[in-house]
Amino acid sequence: MEGLIMDYPLTTTTILEYGNSAFKHKKIISHLPNGSRHEYTFGDLHKRCKQLANVLTHKLGVTKGDMIGTFAWNHYQHVELYYGIPSVGAICHTINIRLSSHQTEFIINHSEDKVIFVDASLVPLLEKIAGQLETVEHYVIMNAPEKFSTTLLNVLHYEDLLEGESEEFEWPTLSENDACGMCYTSGTTGLPKGVLYTHRSTYLHALTISTPNAANYDNSDIVLLIVPQFHVMAWGYPYLCLITGSDMVLPSSNLQPEAIISILQEEKITKANGVPTIWMGVYEAMKKNPPRPKLALQEYLVGGSALTASLIKGMDDDFGIKGVQAWGMTETSPLGTVSRLQPHHEKLSTEEKIKIRAKQGIEFPGIEMRVVDNNGKVAERDGKTMGELQVKGAWVIKSYFKTNNRDNFTDDGWFRTGDVSTVDSDGYMHITDRTKDLIKSGGEWISSVALESALMSHPKVKEAAVIAIPDEKWAERPLAVIVLTDEDEVVLDANFKEFLSRDFANYQIPDNYVFVNQVPRTSVGKFDKKEIRRLYAQGEL
Amino acid sequence: MEGLIMDYPLTTTTILEYGNSAFKHKKIISHLPNGSRHEYTFGDLHKRCKQLANVLTHKLGVTKGDMIGTFAWNHYQHVELYYGIPSVGAICHTINIRLSSHQTEFIINHSEDKVIFVDASLVPLLEKIAGQLETVEHYVIMNAPEKFSTTLLNVLHYEDLLEGESEEFEWPTLSENDACGMCYTSGTTGLPKGVLYTHRSTYLHALTISTPNAANYDNSDIVLLIVPQFHVMAWGYPYLCLITGSDMVLPSSNLQPEAIISILQEEKITKANGVPTIWMGVYEAMKKNPPRPKLALQEYLVGGSALTASLIKGMDDDFGIKGVQAWGMTETSPLGTVSRLQPHHEKLSTEEKIKIRAKQGIEFPGIEMRVVDNNGKVAERDGKTMGELQVKGAWVIKSYFKTNNRDNFTDDGWFRTGDVSTVDSDGYMHITDRTKDLIKSGGEWISSVALESALMSHPKVKEAAVIAIPDEKWAERPLAVIVLTDEDEVVLDANFKEFLSRDFANYQIPDNYVFVNQVPRTSVGKFDKKEIRRLYAQGEL
């Protein structure tokens, strides 16, 4: 028997309307690339989204299901696009500005973007490939300086389009299963793959992330959105903040540690997000030059790669600012788990507590996770048994855009993350590796991530990446690629072997060490293992 | 274009599974009617729900869509029914134990309950009407004392049924729009009406209520569920606590102020809910006998009727415990709004802050509200313009059970609450009256609630209810029904008239005052205006 409750689709439009009704006076503050500061309210955003909806439908001919690209930093116009595009039934496709020209061209043609909204400062990146773009009818420029010229054709200007447009627009009725946003994976293993979010998944993700066990935002928070809006919908934060009535601060391209610290101070930020690299930079800059007065920042939520125990401890001890580890992927909207201590952890030592906080944590309601071992069985939750992490839930993809490839899905409908994990008896998940980064030596698994963590705790090591190299006898052996703190120093391999022997079995310890000036990284700042393998694994030692 | 996200129905079963996965060790503590204390974990609940599912399907012949009644206090078995019944696709119909025999009989026959799970201590109430119950095949007795006998036929015992049952049960696939629970309104204006909740509405209501702007629960909270499980699904708390990992404490029939205070102390409760009458009693008892050591209680969430400014202030000042006003109805699952201060209120005086906290507040995401004036127009949000409060949203009914009557719905699909409200420029809603309690005198509206509040602030008044009485000249005039603090004292009408003249226009001030020993109340503790009218409005002065 069906219940007798109203049909009320969960859409990004309902979030926009909610922000306008409940928190009309709340602020969106943008630090623009040109150094200026822009401030307006949720009420203003609502009006401008209605203007944008008129522009999209009447001036640009956008109709339901059209793919609309954005190629921009974090700022209020980009937030308007996050709401305005889906509200007319089109799809907001946020293009990663850090991909190669080849990848960018592929993504735009593959997604069939009809219009691209682009920051003036990023126009040169598109000019290079414009000749190859097959579907783009208009480029709409944002934040253009007075003197602006481009070789792009069919160029319009964002503010010109909005100016004088009506603030009245009747939202079309949408299904909550309609697509509202698209992101491509960063494609470390082949071509980027498209992930198509629904209105419903976007709403449920944002609402759930706001809860106290998760990111814990309310109307007294002032949130700095460091995660770029061109990465996985900025972790849903532009939606989240309208739900929670939190002031939203957008740094656009000001992502150097000093710029971030200055915004943290000036705007009295209480919560922020970002990848560990950013926070490591902020921490080091603050160590050199401690902010006065004390920052209002209480917490920074980290995802993308692992928050290290040393960063957690440093920020705790030196500044009283809490690092919170989350985990997710483009395919999971992205957030799926978070690690926070619970009352029964109170009796643990500081070190043990940090060990738990450095795990990826427990799943959010709406997400299910399991670890499947080599034999296809669900692993015990003993904190030891490793296997592939698989997830399902209300904001996890069921397939990639325009492909029937089912490699990433199990027969019973779970998404295969490619992460190798354990789950402990408290339900805390811990990623030990990527499946493709595991080294299988003489029939035994060796964790490259565990070796990297250990090596990076060596006083003379700045960075360390570990990959598998082919070996006739053992099939694979680990190779360590190392950046020393002092480039001119010489450290013997034996030194590292002895250091590692405290925590690792002999067969797990790399035989070979390569010293480099920097470890190649992907567009999102992770070690680029594909490139490292290309450079070092095929006998180029 | 549809997005490519998994189909993941939001059901109470997913909540049960989530609680078991993420918070297996969290506690459910019951203070049973016989004085004993029972404690187990979310993991135990999960196992017992699987046993219950086997009992329902294999021993009681329950199938999808069956209506299953509960007639019980707040305790763990009742929580098992909240999850176990919907998880097999049946509907958990919580019957209000405080209704009249006639109403109870009507509700059970109207809903067609197939089985009723009943606390032994409440069996006598059912014995009276059992002969008239047309659909009940089994009565399942909970918490029976050793010597127990009943005139009910087809009696089974809950623990006997569960004992030895398998803890394995494969949950059936459910649609999130399937009915999962039913409550009847308390029927102050005619027969009770059935409200049929969906799995989806129950999930979204509970998840949203957990957010920081709303009730704000996390895994460090120990929550006392004072609101009876036979009232509007206990405000969703048995679902909410599994989502948030909060320990849940259930007082069953221990609802006297001293019993509640003792549980608050013993269990180190951090948050609780309840109607104002309960909290007024607790406050008065604590004033007489302040708890030592200080309670861990931080907040009590109040709904059902208005939290008075004096109770907010008393609990603030004397005990540092925050009263939070929420608003809702059976038809809205129930919670729709809550009043919490925001940072821009900080500059206000204590008195002004309490005025805001005594409003019903801003709507939750997922709920929309509007006030429609006499002319059918949406009222300005000026804090003054009154009209009928109308709502829609993801957990608001679209019709009552087994009726096509559309009186409570507008043509454009909003639910008419029957409350008269204002909304201020900050978006805070304030209920000034029930539509049927407004007094229209000489073409002007007089608010009975405003008069009641004013009269109750008179030092010699304990309680005051105001109703309309017919008047030849003015159509209606207000009549005040008063309980004096000191029953033996005589207070002249003129005294009240002068007192009210400070805040009210002459035409608004009641001409007549009736002094009584108590004001008639409904089964849920509100003034029973229907009864007051019957007693006093028709010339019985």
Side-chain angles (χ1 to χ4, degrees), chain B residues 258-295:
Chain B
E258 290 71 21
I260 290 173
I261 294 167
S262 147
I263 295 175
L264 291 172
Q265 287 182 298
E266 183 184 340
E267 305 294 355
K268 301 185 171 56
I269 302 295
T270 60
K271 309 246 172 86
N273 63 11
V275 292
T277 318
I278 292 272
W279 289 104
M280 184 54 87
V282 167
Y283 174 67
E284 282 171 3
M286 297 208 306
K287 280 287 276 186
K288 279 182 205 149
N289 190 9
R292 294 280 177 276
K294 203 171 158 293
L295 294 180

Side-chain angles (χ1 to χ4, degrees), chain A residues 1-10 14 17-18 20-26 64-67 89 91 175-180 194-198 200-201 203-204 207-208 210-213 216-221 243-245 331 333 340-344 362-369 381 391-402 409 413-415 425-428, chain B residues 1-10 14 17-18 20-26 64-67 89 91 175-180 194-198 200-201 203-204 207-208 210-213 216-221 243-245 331 333 340-344 362-369 381 391-402 409 413-415 425-428:
Chain A
M1 192 187 321
E2 289 221 337
L4 296 170
I5 298 294
M6 288 182 182
D7 180 28
Y8 191 83
L10 307 175
T14 63
E17 288 293 332
Y18 179 70
N20 185 54
S21 173
F23 300 113
K24 200 190 257 296
H25 59 283
K26 286 289 180 173
K64 216 182 147 186
D66 279 346
M67 196 70 70
I91 300 154
S175 156
E176 66 183 25
N177 292 319
D178 284 342
C180 88
V195 177
L196 198 58
Y197 306 112
T198 62
R200 172 183 163 108
S201 68
Y203 184 106
L204 289 173
L207 177 66
T208 305
S210 78
T211 58
N213 289 336
N216 191 25
Y217 295 109
D218 72 16
N219 63 54
S220 70
D221 280 311
I243 290 178
T244 59
E331 291 88 339
S333 294
R340 284 184 184 276
L341 295 175
Q342 296 185 47
H344 68 280
I362 60 175
E363 72 276 31
F364 297 119
I367 294 290
E368 295 179 32
M369 63 180 184
R381 294 191 158 198
V391 296
K392 65 178 185 179
W395 48 91
V396 178
I397 57 163
K398 62 180 175 190
S399 65
Y400 291 101
F401 186 56
K402 285 190 188 172
F409 301 90
W414 292 67
F415 174 68
S425 59
D426 271 355
Y428 284 65
Chain B
M1 192 188 318
E2 288 221 339
L4 295 171
I5 298 293
M6 289 182 182
D7 180 29
Y8 191 83
L10 308 174
T14 64
E17 287 293 332
Y18 179 70
N20 185 53
S21 173
F23 301 113
K24 200 189 256 298
H25 57 285
K26 286 290 181 171
K64 215 181 149 189
D66 279 346
M67 197 69 71
I91 301 154
S175 156
E176 66 183 26
N177 292 318
D178 285 342
C180 88
V195 176
L196 197 58
Y197 307 112
T198 63
R200 171 184 163 108
S201 68
Y203 184 106
L204 290 173
L207 177 66
T208 306
S210 79
T211 60
N213 289 336
N216 191 27
Y217 294 108
D218 72 17
N219 62 53
S220 69
D221 280 311
I243 289 178
T244 60
E331 290 87 340
S333 295
R340 285 184 184 275
L341 295 175
Q342 295 186 48
H344 69 280
I362 61 176
E363 72 276 31
F364 298 119
I367 293 291
E368 296 179 30
M369 63 179 183
R381 293 190 158 201
V391 296
K392 66 177 183 181
W395 49 90
V396 178
I397 55 163
K398 63 180 177 189
S399 65
Y400 291 100
F401 185 58
K402 285 190 189 173
F409 301 90
W414 293 66
F415 174 68
S425 59
D426 272 355
Y428 283 64

Side-chain angles (χ1 to χ4, degrees), chain A residues 207-240:
Chain A
L207 177 66
T208 305
I209 303 313
S210 78
T211 58
N213 289 336
N216 191 25
Y217 295 109
D218 72 16
N219 63 54
S220 70
D221 280 311
I222 304 170
V223 182
L224 180 60
L225 282 70
I226 294 179
V227 173
Q229 288 189 259
F230 54 78
H231 275 169
V232 214
M233 310 309 285
W235 299 1
Y237 275 51
Y239 301 115
L240 165 58

